[in-house]
């Protein structure tokens, strides 16, 4: 498969900000299909017309899964089942995108990081649904010979991220003159990677990954939530403590940390954005310049959080 011959199809289940995010991509290379991944007929037709599937589709936000878990079971588990069945029927190469959250969390003072050998131990409806989907992929590889790989990535940041997520929420709060809202004591640790580095890792695995293998993707970007918010506030010239500590997330995972040695040594991948603070500054600039993209989703997002004391 070469880049020039590749034809991309994005499947989204509504024309919300996902659809808008695809605007401007080359029309001759990208087709937008509005459909539901749970709809086996739609999925089968699309899979039959293509030589590889990169399965990014997911309900991905923990806070939403704590309010309404049903869609997470449908999209993440039943949707993955539909993709797997279509790939089995058409002998199509599959790369399944997953999350480091399937491994549960690490203690704040634990020197260990997640590896491909870490046992699954998900905490939330979101991460349990993703863990279930990973298990389905492994079973379809072993039982039916589906040509699949899996990647589990750490926290993404960068342009085009929904304002419900931590970094865009805090950036847009500060742009609006509000205070960042930090759960609990703000000591939880996340391992940040720029979304473009996640994508380059996925492309590397699609091209050179060994069938049946799992690869962890991470860029050594561990920061506490207070450190991240402190950087954002500093960027805007505000004091590092100009924030609100709000109601903690139920079951809040303490720390995620990725050891991506396998991906780096076996496939030769390395991140481009190896300086988090620089990537964050560019992300802030993007949100300042794209008010028209995120603004329509901000009010409803803040109302959702306000109802939960967050
Ligand atoms: O680790 C990979 C995962 O990272 C992905 O699989 C998920 O799809 C993605 O949402 C992300 O999960 P998190 O739950 O870690 O991301 P979130 O942006 O929701 O929160 C990051 C941290 O910030 C977490 O400790 C909760 C905290 N937080 C979040 C929000 C939205 C706050 O303190 N305040 C907030 O307003």
């Amino acid at each position: 498969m070469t880049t020039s011959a590749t034809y991309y199809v994005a499947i989204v289940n509504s024309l919300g900000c996902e659809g808008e995010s695809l605007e401007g991509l080359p029309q001759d290379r990208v087709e937008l299909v509005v459909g539901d991944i749970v709809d086996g007929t739609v999925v089968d037709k699309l899979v039959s017309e293509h030589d590889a599937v990169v399965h990014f589709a997911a309900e991905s936000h923990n806070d939403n899964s704590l309010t309404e878990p049903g869609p997470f079971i449908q999209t993440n588990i039943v949707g993955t089942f539909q993709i797997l069945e279509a790939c089995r029927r058409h002998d199509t190469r599959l790369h399944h995108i997953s999350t480091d959250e399937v491994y549960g969390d690490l203690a704040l003072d634990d020197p260990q990081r997640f590896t491909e050998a870490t046992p699954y131990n998900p905490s939330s409806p979101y991460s349990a649904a993703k863990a279930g989907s990973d298990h389905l992929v492994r079973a379809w590889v072993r039982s039916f010979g589906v040509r699949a790989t899996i990647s589990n990535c750490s926290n993404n940041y960068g342009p085009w991220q929904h304002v419900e997520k931590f970094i865009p929420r805090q950036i847009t709060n500060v742009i609006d003159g509000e205070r960042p809202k930090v759960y609990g004591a703000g000591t939880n640790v996340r391992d940040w990677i720029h979304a473009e580095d996640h994508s380059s890792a996925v492309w590397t695995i699609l091209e050179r990954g060994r069938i049946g293998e799992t690869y962890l993707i991470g860029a050594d970007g561990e920061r506490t939530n207070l450190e991240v918010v402190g950087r954002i506030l500093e960027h805007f010239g505000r004091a590092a403590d100009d924030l609100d500590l709000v109601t903690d997330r139920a079951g809040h995972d303490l720390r995620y940390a990725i050891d991506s040695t396998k991906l780096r040594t076996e496939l030769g991948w390395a991140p481009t954005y190896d300086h988090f603070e620089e990537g964050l500054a560019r992300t802030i600039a993007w949100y300042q310049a794209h008010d028209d993209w995120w603004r329509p989703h901000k009010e409803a997002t803040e109302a959702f959080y306000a109802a939960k004391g967050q």
Side-chain angles (χ1 to χ4, degrees), residues 60-63 99-101 126 153-155 164-166 169-170 181-183 188 190 225 249 252 256 305:
S60 74
H61 196 46
N62 275 299
D63 292 311
T99 168
D100 60 358
E101 294 193 21
Y126 160 63
C153 190
S154 59
N155 283 63
E164 69 192 359
K165 301 283 189 187
F166 178 57
R169 184 182 184 208
Q170 312 315 337
K181 311 291 181 204
V182 179
Y183 297 169
N188 304 64
R190 295 296 183 265
N225 293 339
R249 173 184 283 170
H252 196 175
Y256 306 141
Y305 283 124

Side-chain angles (χ1 to χ4, degrees), residues 105-109 166 182-192 222-229 243 245-246 248 252-256:
D105 61 354
L106 299 159
L108 294 178
D109 59 355
F166 178 57
V182 179
Y183 297 169
T187 51
N188 304 64
V189 173
R190 295 296 183 265
D191 189 354
W192 295 98
E222 280 186 71
R223 301 283 186 285
T224 67
N225 293 339
L226 281 179
E227 283 172 331
V228 173
V229 163
L243 54 87
L245 294 177
V246 298
D248 207 353
H252 196 175
D253 280 342
L254 293 173
R255 171 173 160 255
Y256 306 141

Side-chain angles (χ1 to χ4, degrees), residues 9 50 87 91 138 140 154 169 209 224 227 261 304:
V9 172
H50 295 85
C87 289
D91 188 25
R138 289 174 179 203
W140 261 242
S154 59
R169 184 182 184 208
T224 67
E227 283 172 331
T261 302
F304 167 79

